[in-house]
Amino acid sequence: MNTENRVSPQAPEIEEAIIGACLIEQGAIPLVADKLRPEMFYVLRHQVIYAAILAMYHAGMKIDILTVKEELSHRGKLEEAGGPFGITQLSSKVATSAHLEYHAQIVHEKYLRREMILGFNKLLACSLDETMDIDDSLVDAHNLLDRLEGEFGHNNHMRDMDELMTATMVEAEGRIANNKNGVTGLPTGLADLDRMTSGLQKGELVVVAARPGIGKTAFALHMARSAAMAGYAVAVYSLEMQGERLADRWLTATSEISARHWRSGTVSQQELVEARTTAADLKRLPIHVDDSTSVNMEHIRSSARLLQSQHACDAIIIDYLQLCDMTTGQNNRNREQEVAQATRKAKLLAKELNVPVVLLSQLNRESENRPAGRPELAHLRESGAIEQDADVVMLLYRPALARVTTDRESGYPTEGLGVVIIAKQRNGETGNVYFRHNPEMTKITEYVPPLEYMLKHAK
């Protein structure tokens, strides 16, 4: 289709009607102030006049023909806006503001169409230019669609109580109909953790934090495999480990192969056969892994949106926060502000895609100085915003590493004992969940106290 001689989408008469209504009726500008920005008007002088009206509205000033003329004169924009006669003429273009919101919708739609034409033409030029990096072009394409979708739906989130309560009941009835033994979200692979959280919930940011070497990655991979085995598609963004190393862990976690033998290449023939069988089973799991070493939240958002459009993203795992590329180009930002911004983006991603986002994070060294090395919320590294934005915070703790032989709170022997401390849960209880792990921390299972403990504490 030849578009060279086509006129850009525009509605000058409707723009005049909107500005005219704002000039003669005090109740007009509140109806459009949050829907239209000056650049959405096609005619330049309409942009200039509306910018002045909008600024006056936000400043709490009275708006009429005389005050707008004065504001434009003060800005040195009166002639650009068509002069005093042009302003007066606009006020005669409308008889009532009854259809103002519908008119605003038309102007907004015309603006979106112009932006689409501009953006797609730019993408077409980039596509034809073979010196352009194809990855950059694809990111630009995703960003354009994100921006257009955001613009299209930016004023559609206000709902009255009738609509809100109807949606709430539909959601609740869906949970009641689809829960599996009380688990309404994605299973975590630990029954007690599922009981306390009802699984990983859509739209929630779940932070899993620990000191290095405690087993954040192993725990996250256990959750990913458990969710995938239940039929949920999981996207894993691994900034720390190569994808093959994650696959090593999944192999040894799912089989009886020694992790030490697997790493050193000294597996027996029987273990090799088992590895091939296990790999064949794992191949069928709906898990995608991105092990790029330089990933920021924008890349994760773009990638996850693409996967979700292919029905391949029911949950996101990011390993781990402090390794994210947080370069913003703003020289006045410190590390704490950058971490806070990345955490906020992770929360917005969970809400936007309506999937759980599991964000792994480091704890600071101060946690090691606590009695028995037991961590607390205050030990989240580099930013209090992590605690603020998270819906659930899980702190991983292995008392044996602190040379503690008996866990103080449970009384369990600490050999092979792992503790998930649910330190925050916006919509549920806090407390401890116990799990068992092997020495390499590759295999995580439900915790069953040893026979000696059971006999000793039997009544």
Side-chain angles (χ1 to χ4, degrees):
M1 184 184 293
N2 184 6
T3 61
E4 288 183 9
N5 298 318
R6 287 179 177 269
V7 178
S8 291
Q10 55 184 282
E13 298 87 356
I14 291 178
E15 292 180 6
E16 290 178 347
I18 291 171
I19 293 174
C22 292
L23 288 170
I24 64 174
E25 293 191 31
Q26 290 296 319
I29 184 64
L31 296 176
V32 297
D34 66 335
K35 295 179 175 66
L36 296 177
R37 302 189 303 275
E39 66 269 21
M40 292 180 175
F41 289 79
Y42 178 76
V43 180
L44 180 59
R45 77 185 192 99
H46 295 167
Q47 293 181 14
V48 173
I49 298 168
Y50 184 75
I53 292 172
L54 199 61
M56 293 171 69
Y57 170 67
H58 289 311
M61 298 167 63
K62 292 290 184 182
I63 297 169
D64 56 35
I65 298 170
L66 295 176
T67 57
V68 171
K69 284 180 186 175
E70 186 67 28
E71 176 67 19
L72 286 166
S73 179
H74 178 72
R75 290 173 171 230
K77 299 278 189 179
L78 184 57
E79 292 307 313
E80 192 178 345
F85 177 74
I87 307 297
T88 306
Q89 192 179 38
L90 281 174
S91 66
S92 65
K93 295 288 184 177
V94 62
T96 175
S97 61
H99 306 296
L100 190 60
E101 288 176 283
Y102 179 61
H103 289 162
Q105 185 180 331
I106 293 172
V107 170
H108 185 254
E109 182 183 309
K110 300 291 185 186
Y111 165 75
L112 275 180
R113 290 185 183 279
R114 294 196 300 272
E115 289 295 292
M116 286 171 70
I117 292 167
L118 187 68
F120 289 142
N121 279 332
K122 181 181 176 183
L123 287 174
L124 179 60
C126 291
S127 302
L128 292 170
D129 184 355
E130 295 191 11
T131 64
M132 292 286 292
D133 190 307
I134 189 67
D135 286 340
D136 290 340
S137 297
L138 286 171
V139 168
D140 288 343
H142 286 304
N143 289 341
L144 173 64
L145 290 174
D146 287 347
R147 186 169 64 82
L148 291 173
E149 286 178 3
E151 283 280 6
F152 184 71
H154 84 285
N155 58 356
N156 295 329
H157 298 293
M158 185 67 74
R159 294 176 288 175
D160 60 25
M161 283 299 286
D162 184 0
E163 188 179 354
L164 182 61
M165 293 312 298
T166 300
T168 300
M169 288 307 299
V170 168
E171 186 181 279
E173 286 163 8
R175 284 197 302 269
I176 293 165
N178 298 319
N179 86 84
K180 297 175 182 176
N181 299 319
V183 179
T184 56
L186 281 64
T188 63
L190 294 173
D192 285 345
L193 189 56
D194 284 342
R195 178 185 58 77
M196 289 184 70
T197 62
S198 297
L200 302 175
Q201 299 295 316
K202 291 179 179 180
E204 290 196 346
L205 175 62
V206 179
V207 171
V208 177
R211 288 293 296 151
I214 296 296
K216 294 188 299 294
T217 301
F219 186 76
L221 294 183
H222 177 74
M223 288 199 293
R225 183 168 63 90
S226 300
M229 288 173 66
Y232 295 98
V234 183
V236 179
Y237 295 89
S238 175
L239 285 70
E240 183 179 34
M241 297 177 68
Q242 190 178 4
E244 287 78 2
R245 302 294 74 78
L246 300 184
D248 286 340
R249 291 189 171 210
W250 273 316
L251 268 168
T252 53
T254 313
S255 65
E256 297 303 320
I257 301 168
S258 163
R260 183 171 55 82
H261 290 173
W262 186 253
R263 281 196 304 271
S264 63
T266 56
V267 293
S268 66
Q269 189 61 35
Q270 182 180 348
E271 286 178 317
L272 184 58
V273 170
E274 186 179 356
R276 287 173 177 155
T277 303
T278 302
D281 291 336
L282 289 170
K283 282 180 183 179
R284 292 191 282 269
L285 293 181
I287 297 176
H288 288 82
V289 175
D290 184 336
D291 61 358
S292 172
T293 54
S294 180
V295 170
N296 56 29
M297 292 306 299
E298 282 73 23
H299 168 85
I300 292 172
R301 179 173 179 261
S302 177
S303 168
R305 280 177 63 89
L306 180 60
L307 284 174
Q308 193 175 63
S309 71
Q310 300 165 351
H311 306 289
C313 183
D314 297 315
I316 297 168
I317 294 176
I318 304 170
D319 183 14
Y320 58 91
L321 170 65
Q322 282 78 12
L323 289 180
C324 278
D325 181 1
M326 299 179 192
T327 307
T328 61
Q330 295 176 272
N331 298 326
N332 60 338
R333 283 189 175 271
N334 59 34
R335 177 67 177 178
E336 184 172 334
Q337 289 171 322
E338 289 174 343
V339 170
Q341 186 180 47
T343 310
R344 184 63 184 154
K345 287 180 178 179
K347 171 58 185 173
L348 292 175
L349 177 62
K351 190 175 178 182
E352 178 189 357
L353 299 188
N354 196 29
V355 300
V357 172
V358 179
L359 180 63
L360 275 56
S361 176
Q362 294 268 22
L363 292 176
N364 60 39
R365 291 182 182 276
E366 292 174 16
S367 61
E368 296 175 359
N369 299 325
R370 284 263 302 154
R374 190 179 181 87
E376 291 183 323
L377 274 176
H379 299 135
L380 283 166
R381 184 173 168 184
E382 292 180 313
S383 180
I386 303 173
E387 175 188 347
Q388 216 169 34
D389 288 325
D391 296 285
V392 180
V393 178
M394 302 180 188
L395 309 177
L396 299 187
Y397 172 52
R398 288 165 63 190
L401 296 183
R403 295 180 174 82
V404 176
T405 57
T406 303
D407 179 53
R408 186 184 63 191
E409 294 199 12
S410 65
Y412 295 149
T414 60
E415 184 180 354
L417 177 69
V419 187
V420 183
I421 303 168
I422 302 178
K424 175 189 176 182
Q425 186 172 194
R426 206 185 298 276
N427 300 309
E429 61 182 310
T430 58
N432 300 331
V433 172
Y434 300 93
F435 64 89
R436 181 171 292 284
H437 62 84
N438 62 353
E440 295 92 352
M441 192 62 192
T442 54
K443 193 184 294 291
I444 292 175
T445 55
E446 303 283 359
Y447 185 75
V448 178
L451 182 60
E452 296 82 3
Y453 175 89
M454 301 286 280
L455 291 172
K456 183 178 178 181
H457 291 83
K459 291 184 179 179

